[in-house]
Amino acid sequence: MSDAPEVNRPVVTPVRVVIAVCLVAPFVAMLWVSSYAKVDPTFIGIPFFYWYQMLWVVLSTALTMVAYKLWQRDQRARGAERVQGGAGR
């Protein structure tokens, strides 16, 4: 048995909170229909209702990609800690 204390990282970290916000934001934006259920302002003749939703398609893709990259980085960091912690035993 190793004399070094085992370090357990908390499950809820700032990175995981950012990941959650990235994944929840599109749902909140789309479920709050009264915020975008209007015609004006139009963009190149397209009513606000439609171009707002199409904008969220792009934003959702970007936010999901950011969340995925942060998740990968978090998992690699946790895996490296497990390897280092297990090497001393």
Side-chain angles (χ1 to χ4, degrees):
M1 188 112 192
S2 174
D3 292 334
E6 187 173 319
V7 177
N8 290 329
R9 287 185 66 187
V11 175
V12 179
T13 62
V15 172
R16 289 186 174 192
V17 171
V18 171
I19 291 168
V21 168
C22 286
L23 295 175
V24 170
F27 288 101
V28 172
M30 291 291 92
L31 290 175
W32 187 21
V33 177
S34 63
S35 70
Y36 63 91
K38 52 190 170 185
V39 175
D40 291 324
T42 60
F43 177 68
I44 60 172
I46 302 170
F48 181 73
F49 181 79
Y50 295 112
W51 68 258
Y52 180 81
Q53 289 180 355
M54 290 301 106
L55 177 66
W56 271 104
V57 169
V58 175
L59 290 174
S60 297
T61 303
L63 289 171
T64 302
M65 187 175 64
V66 167
Y68 177 70
K69 292 297 182 181
L70 288 173
W71 181 257
Q72 280 184 324
R73 189 174 74 177
D74 184 60
Q75 292 303 301
R76 279 194 304 268
R78 285 178 181 268
E81 284 179 1
R82 275 190 227 117
V83 169
Q84 288 176 348
R89 292 182 183 184

